[in-house]
Amino acid sequence: MKILLTGGAGYIGSHTAIALIEAGHDVSVLDNYSNSSPEAIKRVEKITGKNIALHEADAADKDKVMSILKKEMPDCIIHFAGLKAVGESVDKPVEYYRNNIDTTLTLLECMRELGLKNFVFSSSATVYGDDHKPPFTEEMTKGMCTNPYGWTKWMQEQMLADAAIASSKFASQSRGAKGSEDEATDWKEPLSVVLLRYFNPVGAHESGLIGEDPQGIPNNLMPFISQVAVGRRDHLTVFGDDYDTPDGTCRRDYIHVMDLAEGHVKAAEYAAEHTGTEVFNLGSGTPYSVLEMVHAFSAACGSEVAYEIGPRRAGDIQDSWANADKALKVLGWKTRRGIDEICRDAWNWQSQNPQGYGE
């Protein structure tokens, strides 16, 4: 298949590009480099030995997106592009709503006009909110999100599901018809939408050539730990040690980014064979606390990662981990890498690239 990755030069997108190419698919990338680097794609090409069509554009710019889609005419779009930091979203809600929702609306409009039908969406476990107790299953209702980032994912999931329903209705009505009064607003084919609810992607490709390289101060745990370990930052602040957990810190389901990437391969292949909307959790099912991750990384890098305890962070929930049985049953996917591989590969990337792609 020909697969276009929006935000494909980013952390998860670049690793997914490798997994897709290794599975025999053709990959193109659309990215505006707001939190990524074209160097990541150069390194993907080095790892895979394949050339990747790289388009610099904002996924919310309809004219540019339409031009790129007309050129590529992909069999499937995997939509990664979006702002993604929970804490930052609390401080910048307008930016998060504008960016994340606009990109998805733009893609849907372009797909409708061009007759493209397969869509895999980079969603998040944050849509479960604080209404349920883990492990989370796909049958649970979406909850009251605790931060604007989560709400953008919640809303985008709803937009995509609604579009899939509408596309099925209009495509059915239009079969055998000679034309439409407004073909730009009619779906030519029923949409196939796969919503992937990630838990906490971490780690790096085993080569050490690509990994997580956030711009500015990291908002997520693992890149911050990595930068402390490599000497770029003095210490890590742990946001709260008074939660009702064994060591008082929040617990999360950390999933190796290459396991996550392989989940996208399965999802894209599934989308090509089905219509409607399906939801899958992508997680390991095993929670680790913040301090457990700090200690595991300290063991991997051979020195203690300095940290201090700070107040709780707005938007955080205490516990989050997956039940990923559906992904195993339907997609044949499960995680293959654990906490040791996560920390080993993250340290391998950071130690070889102390300044990330900026070196």
Side-chain angles (χ1 to χ4, degrees):
M1 289 193 296
K2 293 182 65 177
I3 301 176
L4 174 73
L5 311 182
T6 70
Y11 173 45
I12 301 171
S14 58
H15 288 79
T16 299
I18 292 174
L20 287 166
I21 291 169
E22 290 179 343
H25 301 293
D26 294 326
V27 172
S28 58
V29 166
L30 182 159
D31 206 299
N32 68 355
Y33 310 128
S34 63
N35 193 30
S36 61
S37 169
E39 176 63 24
I41 298 303
K42 293 179 182 178
R43 298 191 185 190
V44 170
E45 292 176 329
K46 181 177 181 180
I47 292 167
T48 62
K50 298 288 186 179
N51 293 325
I52 295 174
L54 184 57
H55 306 278
E56 183 173 359
D58 189 326
D61 186 329
K62 186 174 180 180
D63 289 341
K64 289 186 177 179
V65 170
M66 182 65 80
S67 176
I68 292 165
L69 290 180
K70 284 180 177 178
K71 182 176 181 180
E72 296 292 341
M73 289 302 289
D75 299 303
C76 181
I77 294 172
I78 302 182
H79 183 29
F80 296 106
L83 302 175
K84 63 175 186 176
V86 168
E88 183 182 61
S89 77
V90 175
D91 297 329
K92 298 180 178 181
V94 174
E95 288 82 353
Y96 270 69
Y97 286 116
R98 170 66 74 185
N99 181 83
N100 292 4
I101 292 172
D102 276 4
T103 57
T104 299
L105 286 173
T106 296
L107 288 166
L108 282 172
E109 288 175 348
C110 292
M111 290 177 69
R112 180 175 60 189
E113 292 178 36
L114 294 174
L116 303 176
K117 63 178 184 177
N118 298 323
F119 196 102
V120 175
F121 179 56
S122 169
S123 192
S124 168
T126 57
V127 301
Y128 291 113
D130 207 8
D131 299 55
H132 307 289
K133 298 298 182 184
F136 300 130
T137 67
E138 295 88 348
E139 290 74 26
M140 291 177 173
T141 57
K142 292 189 293 183
M144 293 295 293
C145 298
T146 60
N147 55 78
Y149 165 75
W151 279 117
T152 68
K153 295 296 187 182
W154 195 106
M155 293 173 186
Q156 288 173 94
E157 281 198 7
Q158 192 64 47
M159 287 156 44
L160 288 163
D162 289 342
I165 293 170
S167 71
S168 179
K169 179 177 68 173
F170 281 107
S172 176
Q173 290 175 348
S174 66
R175 287 193 183 99
K178 294 182 179 180
S180 167
E181 293 182 359
D182 189 357
E183 292 185 356
T185 60
D186 288 346
W187 292 96
K188 299 173 181 64
E189 297 283 349
L191 274 176
S192 177
V193 173
V194 179
L195 307 175
L196 298 180
R197 292 176 180 168
Y198 308 165
F199 281 70
N200 289 71
V202 285
H205 189 262
E206 62 182 6
S207 67
L209 288 174
I210 65 169
E212 189 167 10
D213 183 30
Q215 306 300 307
I217 299 173
N219 285 285
N220 296 325
L221 177 64
M222 185 59 81
F224 211 116
I225 291 176
S226 300
Q227 291 186 13
V228 172
V230 84
R232 284 177 62 179
R233 305 196 182 276
D234 293 333
H235 67 278
L236 167 75
T237 297
V238 176
F239 297 111
D241 66 347
D242 57 349
Y243 289 95
D244 185 19
T245 62
D247 62 18
T249 63
C250 293
R251 293 184 292 184
R252 295 290 182 269
D253 186 335
Y254 295 97
I255 173 176
H256 196 292
V257 68
M258 286 308 301
D259 280 329
L260 187 64
E262 290 161 6
H264 286 79
V265 177
K266 297 289 189 180
E269 293 170 348
Y270 178 85
E273 301 296 330
H274 296 79
T275 59
T277 302
E278 284 286 352
V279 181
F280 297 99
N281 287 337
L282 295 185
S284 71
T286 302
Y288 290 97
S289 73
V290 173
L291 289 182
E292 284 178 315
M293 292 301 291
V294 170
H295 299 324
F297 199 93
S298 296
C301 71
S303 61
E304 292 298 317
V305 174
Y307 69 90
E308 64 180 28
I309 304 298
R312 294 187 180 191
R313 181 173 62 178
D316 281 343
I317 63 173
Q318 175 177 290
D319 289 318
S320 176
W321 65 88
N323 177 317
D325 290 349
K326 182 180 177 181
L328 176 59
K329 180 180 179 180
V330 178
L331 302 179
W333 174 91
K334 65 178 181 178
T335 58
R336 299 188 295 115
R337 304 162 179 88
I339 190 171
D340 292 337
E341 291 87 353
I342 285 169
C343 294
R344 177 200 69 197
D345 293 341
W347 176 239
N348 186 34
W349 149 254
Q350 195 70 79
S351 60
Q352 289 188 49
N353 305 270
Q355 301 301 317
Y357 295 117
E359 295 180 304

